[in-house]
């Protein structure tokens, strides 16, 4: 499997990314207090199937996972960072809900995530979401053909350090397209000018995850998937899929 996608493959990913952005936006707007995370997952899955596309996260079982992921959408609430399994949990006013979704269009995968506050929350929680998203955009801005993966990593880390958030060091961005996770790995910390070269035809998912209280320890829940902050502090997560094309860097997961 080549890390480099053809212009034809990028064209398919562009359409898939557009569809995924629409589905994730509609899912974000659908979330209301009193709803279970299972209902939110069912809504997102139906939108994808209605497009005639499929859900690459459902039944995904990477190496090391004890069981396949059972749903279309990862829903992670408050101290849950990523990979939350939809179920009976009821969304409450003030919850920070992170939704992470993949979409397979004509055999090719795009990946996109965001965090949203349901109702109202303290200013420091609003800031966490704002600056985690800002870090995503700084990372994207730092991505240039001929540059290095470390340029993206350093740009993300700079925002994290400035705001004294915790960085999730065990998880990061990745190549995407033929599968859910491909090389190269894109850490959310690092040094400019280091790591693999960024080349035309690469497609990467960039995804900072920050923790409000500045701690960095994480753990996995007994369900084998959900990753939570060890301290119990709130986390935020934003992700886009980007492509390196002859026109430069393009964000694919946009409407
Ligand atoms: Mg991802």
């Amino acid at each position: 499997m080549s890390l480099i996608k053809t212009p034809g493959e990028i064209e398919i990913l562009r359409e898939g990314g557009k569809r995924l952005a629409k589905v994730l936006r509609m899912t974000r707007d659908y979330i209301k207090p009193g709803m279970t995370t299972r209902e939110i997952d069912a809504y997102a899955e139906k939108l994808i199937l209605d497009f005639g596309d499929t859900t690459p996260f459902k039944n995904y079982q990477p190496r090391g996972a004890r069981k396949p992921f059972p749903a279309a959408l990862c829903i992670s609430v408050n101290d849950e960072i990523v990979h939350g399994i939809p179920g009976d949990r009821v969304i409450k006013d003030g919850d920070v809900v992170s939704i992470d979704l993949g979409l397979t269009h004509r055999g090719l995968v795009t990946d996109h995530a965001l965090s949203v506050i349901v109702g109202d929350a303290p200013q420091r929680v609003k800031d966490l979401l704002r600056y985690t998203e800002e870090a995503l955009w700084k990372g994207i801005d730092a991505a240039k053909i001929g540059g290095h993966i470390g340029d993206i990593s350093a740009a993300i880390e700079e925002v994290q350090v400035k705001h004294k958030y915790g960085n999730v060091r065990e998880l990061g961005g990745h190549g995407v397209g033929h599968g859910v996770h491909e090389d190269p790995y894109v850490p959310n910390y690092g040094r400019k000018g280091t790591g693999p070269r960024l080349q035309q035809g690469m497609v990467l998912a960039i995804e900072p995850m920050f923790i409000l209280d500045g701690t960095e320890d994480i753990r996995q829940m007994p369900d084998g998937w959900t990753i939570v902050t060890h301290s119990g502090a709130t986390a935020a997560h934003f992700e886009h899929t980007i492509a390196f094309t002859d026109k430069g860097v393009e964000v694919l997961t946009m409407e």
Side-chain angles (χ1 to χ4, degrees):
M1 239 184 289
S2 171
L3 301 181
I4 300 303
K5 275 75 182 177
T6 65
E9 288 174 327
I10 288 176
E11 190 52 46
I12 292 168
L13 288 160
R14 190 177 281 128
E15 175 59 27
K18 205 176 282 178
R19 292 176 179 202
L20 177 54
K22 183 173 184 185
V23 172
L24 201 71
R25 189 223 347 126
M26 288 175 73
T27 303
R28 179 196 67 198
D29 294 346
Y30 178 75
I31 301 172
K32 299 282 179 303
M35 220 171 240
T36 65
T37 53
R38 182 180 285 114
E39 286 173 77
I40 300 164
D41 170 63
Y43 179 79
E45 182 172 19
K46 183 177 185 309
L47 290 173
I48 289 181
L49 298 178
D50 284 350
F51 269 130
D53 296 321
T54 55
T55 60
F57 292 0
K58 197 166 192 172
N59 299 319
Y60 178 61
Q61 187 167 16
R63 201 186 338 209
R66 281 188 280 114
K67 55 175 189 176
F69 191 76
L73 180 68
C74 298
I75 310 181
S76 309
V77 183
N78 298 334
D79 62 324
E80 297 173 352
I81 309 164
V82 285
H83 305 164
I85 299 177
D88 296 329
R89 183 173 187 153
V90 176
I91 299 298
K92 294 194 295 290
D93 195 63
D95 278 347
V96 172
V97 180
S98 298
I99 49 176
D100 187 350
L101 188 63
L103 180 147
T104 305
H105 173 63
R106 294 177 59 194
L108 295 171
V109 180
T110 47
D111 195 357
H112 183 26
L114 59 83
S115 297
V116 65
I117 295 168
V118 180
D120 203 13
Q123 188 59 45
R124 61 199 177 88
V125 175
K126 291 179 187 164
D127 287 344
L128 172 71
L129 271 65
R130 176 182 164 193
Y131 294 122
T132 308
E133 187 172 16
E134 182 181 294
L136 168 61
W137 285 107
K138 296 267 185 186
I140 292 169
D141 286 347
K144 305 265 188 274
I145 292 169
H148 293 265
I149 292 285
D151 303 349
I152 301 170
S153 307
I156 290 170
E157 186 181 21
E158 195 178 315
V159 179
Q160 173 247 317
V161 168
K162 183 173 167 195
H163 295 284
K164 301 187 170 66
Y165 296 135
N167 204 333
V168 178
R169 287 172 193 274
E170 293 89 340
L171 298 165
H174 49 89
V176 65
H178 298 294
V180 172
H181 289 110
E182 299 173 356
D183 287 335
Y185 181 60
V186 187
N188 289 319
Y189 62 94
R191 276 190 304 118
K192 226 174 144 168
T194 64
R197 280 248 181 221
L198 299 168
Q199 300 168 56
Q200 192 174 318
M202 275 184 168
V203 176
L204 300 178
I206 312 293
E207 50 177 325
M209 290 154 251
F210 292 166
I211 302 172
L212 181 58
D213 68 354
T215 62
E216 304 204 324
D217 288 346
I218 62 171
R219 62 193 170 91
Q220 190 178 57
M221 296 300 280
D223 65 21
W225 276 99
T226 313
I227 304 290
V228 301
T229 63
H230 201 273
S231 70
T234 300
H237 175 214
F238 285 84
E239 176 178 30
H240 273 303
T241 298
I242 66 171
F244 297 76
T245 74
D246 55 355
K247 293 181 199 73
V249 172
E250 189 184 330
V251 180
L252 299 179
T253 38
M254 297 248 291
E255 289 184 74

